[in-house]
Amino acid sequence: MDGSIAQRRPAFGATSAKMRRMFLPDVPPPAWARIEAAWRALPPWLRAVCGLAASIVLAGLASIALRQDSSWDLMNYHYYNAWAFVHDRHGIDWAPAQLQSFYSPFLDLPFYAMVAADVPPRVIAFTLAIPTGVAWYCFARITTTFFAPLDVVVRRRAIAAALALGVTAPMAVSLIGTTMNDWYVAALVLVAAWVIVRDPAPSGATVLGAGLLVGVGAGLKLTGGIYAVGLVVALTASGGGGWAARLRRGMVAGVGITLAFALTAGPWMALMFERYGNPLFPYFNDVFRSPWADPVSFSATRFGPASWLEWPVFPFMLLWKLEGFVAEPEFRDARPALLYALALAALAFRGRGRAVVDPRWRFLVAFFMGSFVAWAVLYRIFRYLVPLELLGAAFIVLLVVRLTPPRRVTLVLASVLVLAVVTSKYPTWWRQRFESHFLSVQLPPVDAQALVLLVAAEPMSYVLPSFPADARFVGLVSNFNDPWRNTRLQQTIAATIREHRGALYSLAMPPDRGVGAEALAAMGLARSACAPIRTNLRASPLELCRLQRR
């Protein structure tokens, strides 16, 4: 009996299968499953191209939605510096873009070329967001790699939460499509991070390539140097092998950083040293002692915590100290506080949480900490931390996954995302609506061979390229100089004014308030007739006044 039953069971099962196929047609898989299957069927190179293109398009659309950049930095030096470099204005103008007149113009050349060619403003905004798209793509690849070992449901939600937390970070969002160039550095840094972490055992060539990328970022924008520190620290402190192997990796990265930095920053630093005796002029002039500037460091450490006692609670201070703490405009972000609190919880319950997803997280943690410490020592301006904002979002999700029971991970991730987004205060950087031209300037008549004195520490140099080509410009009053200083720069400006035989003008804002009158009097000058300069940017109108010698 038992044997006969056993023999009949396969026939019954086969008949049941046939009946199911006959009367119950196959149910198609969910739409997301079909999309995922089609995506994975594509060649890897095509998936990479499509992913990168999609990231760039999304970033470009976000830039357009945020409207045109009209930041202080743009009006003060990003446009003027590139124009001055192209037209070889050294020795003709003297610091009309204030202290920032001495910054490398190389990253600003594409922006200047687009404005000079009268490219439509929305196209300029889209183009300026390309580095954002590149950074987003690399961040997505990093998070996808590290969360891959998780259960499929948790993995998808962890990746989605990390991406959402990262791309909505308020400082990072506020900088999309601006000329402040922080996304250029972020893109290079995140490409370097992806190059390292995509391979569990990166080769020497890979490490060298990452160093080259970070070195390029540091050379084009010196604030990117903090990530050079972070990369060397991370490679030396993490990874397989003993200390000798780690030290070799750090040294290889250092070689790449040095070579790339020399190629990108070297020419400008050599020029600054030749002209002013300080390759980082005017920074660290307390060390180089150039006679062209005061012997001070000109550092940005006026931002951030005022004492060492505030650093242990610094992430929480970002919740209530909004304006002038780590950024000029108002800014608030709960993500640093969330990351800090979760990290402390992970340390307190060490060994009781779930296992780390991938040991290569240690590299990113070391990179994050090394870069952050360098930032805290040198800058303390939050917009220089865009790569860490993105990576910090992934750390938050990782810690939630480690510390939360699996059945509650989705709820906790959703709560964290809502809390972070709702409490965020996005810096405005004073954007404005698009017009038919990115920049338009209505200039009153100006005599030939004019010398224009900028007499206010305001962003005004963006109008200077609209003056007649034979005009000259000097920063008489700025965040860097004034008539009461005894530097070679001020002596040169005074001599230029004294020896000039053509028309003299002053440029100031706001108009009709006598701005810079004392400085003009100190140079033996006084205003006569004045006229406004109107522009389509927010620092308008400016006041152009003819000057008379006393």
Side-chain angles (χ1 to χ4, degrees):
M1 179 68 70
D2 291 341
S4 63
I5 292 174
Q7 291 173 0
R8 286 196 295 269
R9 280 177 180 164
F12 178 78
T15 302
S16 299
K18 291 179 181 178
M19 292 179 67
R20 283 196 299 270
R21 287 195 297 270
M22 183 180 299
F23 296 105
L24 296 175
D26 291 338
V27 177
W32 61 263
R34 296 198 302 271
I35 294 172
E36 185 177 24
W39 174 256
R40 293 190 179 280
L42 296 174
W45 68 267
L46 185 56
R47 290 203 303 268
V49 170
C50 291
L52 179 59
S55 296
I56 290 173
V57 169
L58 289 173
L61 294 176
S63 178
I64 292 172
L66 289 168
R67 302 184 302 166
Q68 177 177 311
D69 181 18
S70 184
S71 63
W72 190 95
D73 286 10
L74 184 157
M75 293 182 290
N76 185 54
Y77 74 96
H78 284 297
Y79 185 62
Y80 168 82
N81 280 8
W83 172 81
F85 177 77
V86 169
H87 293 86
D88 194 19
R89 301 289 298 188
H90 175 71
I92 300 175
D93 303 340
W94 295 105
Q98 311 194 65
L99 177 149
Q100 292 81 7
S101 302
F102 307 98
Y103 286 7
S104 168
F106 299 145
L107 275 179
D108 296 320
L109 293 175
F111 166 69
Y112 167 73
M114 288 188 288
V115 175
D118 201 21
V119 172
R122 287 177 177 82
V123 176
I124 294 177
F126 188 100
T127 304
L128 290 175
I130 290 175
T132 303
V134 174
W136 281 357
Y137 173 74
C138 292
F139 175 56
R141 295 298 298 269
I142 291 170
T143 56
T144 302
T145 298
F146 281 138
F147 290 122
L150 292 175
D151 172 79
V152 62
V153 175
V154 176
R155 179 178 73 239
R156 287 172 179 154
R157 293 171 184 176
I159 293 171
L163 293 178
L165 272 174
V167 302
T168 59
M171 185 61 73
V173 168
S174 75
L175 296 169
I176 297 174
T178 69
T179 57
M180 287 183 276
N181 297 328
D182 296 294
W183 273 111
Y184 282 104
V185 175
L188 290 163
V189 167
L190 287 171
V191 172
W194 166 236
V195 164
I196 292 290
V197 303
R198 65 184 298 189
D199 187 350
S203 65
T206 299
V207 171
L208 179 64
L212 289 170
L213 288 165
V214 172
V216 168
L220 293 175
K221 187 174 174 67
L222 294 181
T223 56
I226 62 176
Y227 301 107
V229 175
L231 181 63
V232 173
V233 167
L235 289 169
T236 305
S238 64
W243 276 105
R246 295 179 184 181
L247 186 60
R248 280 196 300 271
R249 285 196 293 269
M251 293 177 64
V252 169
V255 169
I257 290 167
T258 302
L259 289 174
F261 186 85
L263 289 173
T264 52
W268 188 256
M269 292 176 65
L271 198 62
M272 291 297 99
F273 184 78
E274 178 187 352
R275 292 173 177 174
Y276 305 111
N278 178 350
L280 299 172
F281 188 80
Y283 294 106
F284 300 104
N285 207 45
D286 53 336
V287 176
F288 291 100
R289 300 279 173 167
S290 167
W292 288 86
D294 295 322
V296 296
S297 66
F298 294 101
S299 67
T301 51
R302 65 183 178 87
F303 291 93
S307 70
W308 288 106
L309 296 176
E310 292 183 349
W311 279 107
V313 295
F314 167 67
F316 299 106
M317 296 175 70
L318 295 173
L319 298 175
W320 69 81
K321 301 193 80 169
L322 304 186
E323 187 173 3
F325 182 48
V326 291
E328 292 87 350
E330 288 190 350
F331 160 70
R332 179 174 57 231
D333 189 5
R335 290 165 183 78
L338 284 168
L339 176 58
Y340 189 44
L342 288 167
L344 292 177
L347 289 174
F349 296 99
R350 190 173 183 179
R352 296 175 57 185
R354 300 170 68 189
V356 177
V357 178
D358 190 299
R360 287 172 291 177
W361 280 106
R362 290 194 292 270
F363 165 80
L364 287 184
V365 170
F367 174 75
F368 186 102
M369 294 304 299
S371 302
F372 180 81
V373 170
W375 172 84
V377 171
L378 292 174
Y379 298 114
R380 306 177 193 173
I381 297 175
F382 205 86
R383 65 184 175 90
Y384 301 156
L385 294 181
V386 170
L388 302 192
E389 282 191 282
L390 298 182
L391 295 177
F395 293 156
I396 290 172
V397 173
L398 171 68
L399 291 168
V400 169
V401 170
R402 289 189 63 193
L403 296 170
T404 307
R407 65 183 182 278
R408 297 181 180 175
V409 166
T410 301
L411 176 61
V412 175
L413 287 177
S415 301
V416 166
L417 178 60
V418 170
L419 175 65
V421 172
V422 169
T423 58
S424 292
K425 177 69 176 178
Y426 289 77
T428 63
W429 301 114
W430 307 282
R431 293 184 187 251
Q432 63 182 51
R433 64 185 178 87
F434 290 107
E435 298 182 4
S436 56
H437 305 281
F438 194 99
L439 173 62
S440 58
V441 178
Q442 300 175 18
L443 195 71
V446 176
D447 289 354
Q449 304 295 323
L451 178 63
V452 181
L453 314 181
L454 285 75
V455 295
E458 298 291 343
M460 301 185 293
S461 71
Y462 73 100
V463 304
L464 304 186
S466 299
F467 277 74
D470 59 1
R472 301 180 65 189
F473 312 102
V474 298
L476 182 62
V477 176
S478 68
N479 60 12
F480 178 65
N481 187 65
D482 58 58
W484 299 277
R485 308 220 180 188
N486 188 30
T487 62
R488 185 171 295 178
L489 175 63
Q490 176 53 34
Q491 294 168 3
T492 302
I493 288 174
T496 300
I497 295 171
R498 185 171 57 251
E499 296 167 4
H500 184 72
R501 294 295 174 259
L504 287 165
Y505 294 88
S506 68
L507 185 64
M509 68 168 294
D512 303 322
R513 296 191 185 177
V515 174
E518 292 183 3
L520 291 172
M523 305 304 297
L525 301 169
R527 290 183 174 93
S528 56
C530 297
I533 298 176
R534 301 190 184 278
T535 80
N536 65 325
L537 299 189
R538 64 179 182 85
S540 177
L542 288 69
E543 182 180 63
L544 183 69
C545 297
R546 185 179 287 273
L547 300 176
Q548 294 179 340
R549 299 184 187 272
R550 288 180 161 182

